[in-house]
Amino acid sequence: MDAVERPTFETSAAMEVYQHVERHGTAARHRVREMVDLSPEAFEEALTHLLSKGYIEDDGGTLTLALDVGSVEQHTTDGLTYTIRPAHNDDFEGLVQTIRNVSSDGTYVVAESVAEQLLYEDAVTRHNTVESRVFFVATVDGEVIGWCHLDLPQLDKLRETAQLTVGVREEQRGQGIGSQLMQRGLDWAKANGYRKLYNSVPAITENAMVFLEDHGWNTEGIRRNHYSIDGEQVDEVMMAYTFD
């Protein structure tokens, strides 16, 4: 299933099974069967339907969302080999830690909110009729060192726009990893029909604004005194990337 495809259900049983797996990111088949209020026959029929539509995958009894968000890429720079790939639920802890590491100085406010949302929902990927999100991660020896996140509204009037965040742990910066993550997010968004991406940063984060500008982002507006950082009121710079 494509991440931009809005899931539809032919039966309420199928919707109930899907919603349980979607909310938890991954779930044991027998636990889903115990939690949903369905007969064994209705559960199997609903699950078979979801598997046939490509909404869910069954990996040896573990049910996960079946989202196609791209392939695995390997890059090498200055002797460092790293992988960029779609995130999955096993990345949850490393992803949260990385986002918190990058936003630890208190100036990457949008990233902080992304980490809090992950912790609240306890799932990496979401895809339902209200909200969707995808993550790409950069890893070294399996450890998450960076991310690119796309928040994808499902409301029809907003479905051509998305919010993007990107970050790399400080010790791995300066090697082009952030640029590769950014490009992966841009390429995915363009291929899936998005026309504009947004990112908002505090006005005091000059390096972040320069990074975005170097990658084709432009300032679209400023909200005065939007943030309170270290006891000071700080403007929010609203930046956008528009596809040709």
Side-chain angles (χ1 to χ4, degrees), residues 133-197:
R133 67 169 176 251
V134 297
F135 281 90
F136 299 101
V137 291
T139 65
V140 174
D141 297 328
E143 180 183 354
V144 177
I145 62 165
W147 86 92
C148 180
H149 154 257
L150 289 155
D151 185 58
L152 313 168
Q154 287 297 311
L155 184 66
D156 286 340
K157 296 179 178 67
L158 296 173
R159 291 190 74 193
E160 294 181 352
T161 64
Q163 182 185 67
L164 179 146
T165 66
V166 62
V168 176
R169 285 180 175 265
E170 185 173 2
E171 55 268 30
Q172 274 88 26
R173 293 175 193 166
Q175 302 181 80
I177 299 173
S179 295
Q180 291 288 357
L181 281 164
M182 169 74 76
Q183 194 59 52
R184 181 66 183 264
L186 294 177
D187 290 345
W188 185 90
K190 183 177 183 179
N192 284 278
Y194 287 85
R195 59 179 175 83
K196 185 177 277 191
L197 302 178

Side-chain angles (χ1 to χ4, degrees), residues 103-123:
S103 60
S104 61
D105 67 354
T107 61
Y108 200 169
V109 182
V110 175
E112 284 187 71
S113 68
V114 171
E116 292 303 314
Q117 187 173 14
L118 283 169
L119 287 168
Y120 178 76
E121 296 179 346
D122 196 26

Side-chain angles (χ1 to χ4, degrees), residues 33-94:
R33 187 172 61 245
E34 291 173 0
M35 295 301 296
V36 296
D37 187 21
L38 298 171
S39 68
E41 295 78 12
F43 172 79
E44 290 300 330
E45 182 179 349
L47 181 58
T48 298
H49 173 67
L50 294 171
L51 292 169
S52 67
K53 291 195 72 171
Y55 284 5
I56 284 178
E57 293 178 343
D58 186 349
D59 183 11
T62 298
L63 303 180
T64 60
L65 292 187
L67 288 181
D68 182 11
V69 290
S71 60
V72 176
E73 304 171 353
Q74 273 208 332
H75 302 269
T76 301
T77 177
D78 297 330
L80 176 71
T81 298
Y82 61 95
T83 299
I84 292 180
R85 58 169 174 77
H88 44 70
N89 221 52
D90 290 344
D91 297 313
F92 181 85
E93 185 175 342

Side-chain angles (χ1 to χ4, degrees), residues 11-18 36 38 42-43 46-47 50:
T11 66
S12 59
M15 181 173 67
E16 190 173 350
V17 173
Y18 178 87
V36 296
L38 298 171
F43 172 79
L47 181 58
L50 294 171

